[in-house]
């Protein structure tokens, strides 16, 4: 039987929540009203991440991004402002992020400027595409009615037609894309979301292993049940159709859910899984999008192999008063039988570990390491790989490891400067490459297929706002050994991008 459409699911869930006995019958304070999500590309988020790294502000949703503006205001109002630089940043952010008290209001935000880039791809560690200077503009609209929020943000961005990760048309001179577009109903303990925005589930500074903003956003239906100590999130999305060798259309779906537990003020644990379903006549069956069902037990062991399931563990631990450790571990496949067989299947897994803390009176430090094995995110059935239209849903590349050290320090409370040192080791494995068969699979190394390319990166980033001016930029020098996976070939590259805009914002009450 065909699965119900997301709109019907959303409407039904809204009706249940609105009619719930615990729903307040009178207007609630602004803090309990709907609030827009803070986009991952907003310079204000970089400032909040800096305060979190310093231990001056509690993380409103550890290892889950984005969070709402109201969530940001809540933790900023409780910030430790002992350090004068932290206090100045907190005051500026609160002035920008507090929503009006009105139950009915609207906001319009517009920005216009330009982008300059050495390579059109957004990933600085895997640069690709031509350089250029292009115009850039975006327009965002929001409307709130108590617990309902509508938001849309679109951009004029000609750069995207040169980006090899862009899944849309490439024959345009004037190219646009939808950055955000969603309806959100937010109640005391529950939130329902339908639409499109960028997300990242993972350690700070790295793309999430199973879900990230590496690629471009896709529409999804999401449910959040949020209390102080327990958070349950589930997200369901239809991926782009593909065709098999016979020409039949293959339907593909992505479902992920995460149980977050606050074990103490200093320790948060997250358990999650993500599933890819695919088939020429496949529907998004209800059994596979149950947020309370463990898909690995229900389908891989119970019904047989009906999809590709990835299991994950997140840990966010404030080790000391202002030092935090984050760990994300994901297991896609583990061979526990016949490990010595000539056609054995290499284990598929990935991990990320990040530590952060304060440095002096205003700076913060972050060090991190991540690894993804050679066949991570791929599957025997190519349509069950963790990709959408050829681009990773979580990571954009596997068969690599990376070590990064970053220092962030504020300048005049409005700007954040971020020097960075990174070493990336990249094998020849690719997410879209066919899964090896037979003894070739047995000969595939756990990590680093073929010649390993090594990139030594020294860079500096800049993000911030001052009045109408917003800047997002980074510039780096890359020393690449075995460039292009050719042994002995060395290359030195400048890799950088800048986005500079002037903006205008207006808001008012709705009648």
């Amino acid at each position: 039987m065909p699965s119900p459409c997301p709109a019907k699911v959303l409407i039904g869930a809204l009706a249940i929540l609105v009619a719930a006995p615990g729903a307040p019958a009178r207007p609630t304070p602004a803090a309990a009203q709907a609030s827009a999500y803070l986009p991952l590309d907003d310079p204000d988020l970089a400032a909040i991440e800096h305060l979190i790294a310093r231990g001056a502000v509690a993380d409103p949703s550890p290892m889950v991004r984005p969070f709402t503006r109201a969530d940001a205001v809540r933790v900023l109002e409780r910030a430790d402002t002992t350090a004068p630089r932290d206090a100045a940043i907190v005051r500026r952010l609160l002035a920008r992020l507090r929503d009006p008290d009105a139950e009915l209001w609207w906001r319009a935000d517009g920005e216009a400027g330009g982008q300059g880039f050495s390579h059109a791809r957004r990933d600085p560690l895997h640069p690709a595409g031509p350089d250029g200077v292009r115009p850039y503009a975006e327009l965002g609209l929001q409307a709130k009615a108590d617990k309902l929020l509508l938001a849309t943000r679109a951009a004029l961005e000609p750069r995207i037609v040169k980006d090899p990760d862009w899944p849309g048309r490439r024959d345009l001179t004037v190219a646009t894309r939808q950055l955000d577009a969603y309806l959100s109903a937010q109640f005391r303990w529950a939130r329902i979301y339908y639409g499109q925005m960028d997300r990242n589930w993972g350690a700070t500074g790295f793309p999430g292993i199973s879900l990230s903003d590496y690629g471009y956003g896709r529409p999804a239906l999401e449910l959040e049940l949020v209390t102080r100590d327990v958070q349950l999130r589930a997200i369901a999305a239809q991926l782009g159709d593909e065709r098999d060798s016979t020409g039949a259309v293959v339907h593909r779906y992505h479902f992920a859910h995460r149980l977050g537990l606050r074990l103490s003020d200093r320790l948060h644990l997250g358990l999650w899984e993500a599933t890819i379903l695919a088939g020429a006549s496949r529907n998004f069956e209800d059994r596979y999008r149950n947020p309370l069902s463990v898909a690995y037990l229900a389908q891989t062991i119970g019904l047989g192999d009906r999809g590709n399931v990835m299991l994950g563990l997140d840990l966010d631990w404030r080790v000391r008063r202002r030092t935090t450790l984050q760990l994300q571990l994901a297991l896609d496949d583990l061979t526990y039988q016949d490990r010595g067989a000539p056609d054995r299947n290499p284990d598929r897994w990935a991990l990320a570990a990040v530590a952060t803390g304060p440095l002096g009176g205003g700076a913060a430090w972050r060090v991190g390491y991540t690894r993804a094995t050679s066949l991570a995110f791929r599957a025997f059935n190519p349509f069950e790989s963790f990709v959408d239209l050829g681009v990773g849903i979580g990571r954009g590349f596997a068969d690599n490891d990376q070590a990064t050290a970053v220092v962030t320090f504020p300048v005049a409370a409005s700007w954040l400067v971020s020097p960075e040192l990174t070493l990336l080791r990249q094998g020849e494995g690719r997410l879209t490459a066919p899964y090896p068969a037979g003894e070739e699979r047995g000969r595939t190394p756990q990590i680093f297929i073929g010649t390993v390319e090594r990139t030594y990166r020294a860079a500096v980033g800049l993000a911030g706002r001052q009045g109408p001016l917003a800047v997002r930029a980074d510039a780096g020098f890359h020393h690449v050994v075995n460039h292009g996976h050719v042994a002995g070939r060395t290359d030195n590259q400048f890799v950088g991008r800048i986005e500079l805009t002037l903006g205008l914002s207006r808001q008012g009450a709705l009648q």
Side-chain angles (χ1 to χ4, degrees):
M1 181 177 66
S3 58
C5 73
K8 291 182 179 179
V9 174
L10 178 63
I11 292 171
L14 283 174
I16 293 172
L17 287 172
V18 170
R26 62 181 183 277
T28 56
Q33 296 175 4
S35 177
Y37 289 89
L38 189 63
L40 300 190
D41 61 352
D42 194 314
D44 289 336
L45 178 60
I48 296 173
E49 296 285 16
H50 167 76
L51 293 173
I52 293 172
R54 281 186 49 77
V57 167
D59 193 329
S61 59
M63 302 183 70
V64 175
R65 298 293 186 268
F67 44 74
T68 66
R69 293 165 63 99
D71 290 336
V73 168
R74 172 174 53 82
V75 296
L76 289 169
E77 288 177 337
R78 302 172 184 172
D80 180 349
T81 54
T82 306
R85 291 186 181 180
D86 294 346
I89 298 173
V90 168
R91 287 194 299 269
R92 182 185 68 82
L93 289 171
L94 284 173
R96 281 192 49 82
L97 296 177
R98 278 197 178 105
D99 288 331
D101 290 337
E103 288 185 318
L104 299 170
W105 60 265
W106 62 271
R107 173 185 287 127
D109 301 281
E111 297 184 9
Q115 295 177 329
F117 45 90
S118 63
H119 302 79
R121 174 180 275 163
R122 297 181 297 178
D123 180 357
L125 288 169
H126 298 90
D131 61 359
V133 177
R134 300 288 188 274
Y136 178 85
E138 67 177 58
L139 175 65
L141 301 172
Q142 295 177 25
K144 187 191 77 170
D146 192 16
K147 301 186 182 304
L148 296 178
L149 183 108
L150 291 83
T152 183
R153 185 167 61 112
L156 168 71
E157 192 174 11
R159 173 200 62 82
I160 56 178
V161 300
K162 304 298 183 181
D163 185 347
D165 295 330
W166 172 243
R169 292 179 58 182
R170 299 180 179 276
D171 59 341
L172 301 173
T173 302
V174 179
T176 61
R177 69 183 178 105
Q178 193 73 48
L179 303 174
D180 309 312
Y182 59 87
L183 165 68
S184 179
Q186 301 174 16
F187 303 88
R188 183 175 181 182
W189 293 299
R191 297 172 183 170
I192 298 177
Y193 163 98
Y194 181 69
Q196 175 179 318
M197 67 179 175
D198 287 338
R199 298 175 179 78
N200 195 76
W201 289 8
T204 303
F206 291 126
I209 292 175
S210 70
L211 184 63
S212 82
D213 61 334
Y214 180 88
Y216 292 89
R218 65 190 64 85
L221 175 66
E222 182 174 15
L223 170 67
E224 297 180 50
L225 300 177
V226 181
T227 70
R228 188 192 69 160
D229 297 329
V230 179
Q231 305 85 39
L232 176 64
R233 293 177 168 87
I235 179 170
Q238 182 171 349
L239 307 179
D241 290 340
E242 299 190 21
R243 291 186 180 273
D244 63 17
S245 58
T246 68
V249 176
V250 177
H251 303 302
R252 306 179 68 243
Y253 309 94
H254 175 245
F255 180 73
H257 56 152
R258 183 182 190 274
L259 175 64
L261 302 172
R262 176 184 174 273
L263 304 181
S264 72
D265 288 340
R266 297 170 56 183
L267 182 61
H268 293 79
L269 182 69
L271 303 170
W272 56 265
E273 68 175 2
T275 306
I276 300 294
L277 306 172
S281 58
R282 196 75 183 265
N283 290 316
F284 202 164
E285 299 97 328
D286 290 338
R287 66 167 64 96
Y288 299 116
R289 52 182 178 182
N290 183 348
L292 300 180
S293 173
V294 180
Y296 181 78
L297 300 179
Q299 66 187 59
T300 304
I301 295 179
L303 293 174
D305 189 4
R306 300 294 305 279
N308 184 18
V309 181
M310 182 187 297
L311 304 175
L313 169 70
D314 294 344
L315 179 71
D316 184 279
W317 179 26
R318 182 66 58 90
V319 182
R320 301 175 58 189
R321 180 170 175 265
R322 290 197 171 209
T323 302
T324 299
L325 174 65
Q326 292 182 333
L327 175 67
Q328 183 170 61
L329 176 64
L331 180 62
D332 198 355
D333 195 12
L334 178 66
T335 300
Y336 55 88
Q337 293 179 332
D338 300 325
R339 293 186 66 88
D343 61 347
R344 69 170 180 84
N345 187 40
D347 299 334
R348 292 176 286 161
W349 55 269
L351 66 81
V354 172
T356 62
L359 185 64
W365 58 268
R366 183 179 81 242
V367 295
Y369 175 79
T370 187
R371 169 175 284 205
T373 59
S374 57
L375 300 181
F377 316 118
R378 284 196 262 171
F380 292 93
N381 178 351
F383 302 115
E384 293 180 353
S385 297
F386 279 86
V387 299
D388 184 21
L389 300 176
V391 180
I393 296 171
R395 296 291 176 88
F397 286 81
D399 195 24
N400 60 20
D401 72 350
Q402 175 187 335
T404 295
V406 179
V407 174
T408 59
F409 58 89
V411 176
S414 296
W415 306 99
L416 198 66
V417 180
S418 307
E420 170 198 338
L421 293 175
T422 289
L423 168 61
L424 171 70
R425 298 188 297 176
Q426 178 65 60
E428 295 186 40
R430 293 295 182 267
L431 301 190
T432 54
Y435 203 86
E439 293 190 5
E440 179 189 355
R441 182 169 62 244
R443 293 192 298 268
T444 301
Q446 187 70 226
I447 191 169
F448 299 141
I449 298 171
T451 302
V452 179
E453 181 183 80
R454 299 194 302 275
T455 300
Y456 300 86
R457 171 178 166 86
V460 62
L462 174 66
R465 296 181 186 273
Q466 180 69 53
L469 176 65
V471 178
R472 292 179 286 266
D474 67 81
F477 173 78
H478 291 191
H479 177 65
V480 186
V481 179
N482 298 336
H483 180 245
H485 302 284
V486 177
R489 179 192 290 177
T490 300
D491 190 28
N492 295 314
Q493 305 174 342
F494 168 78
V495 177
R497 57 182 298 113
I498 182 171
E499 181 178 296
L500 186 152
T501 60
L502 295 175
L504 183 65
S505 181
R506 291 290 183 269
Q507 64 184 34
L510 287 171
Q511 302 298 323

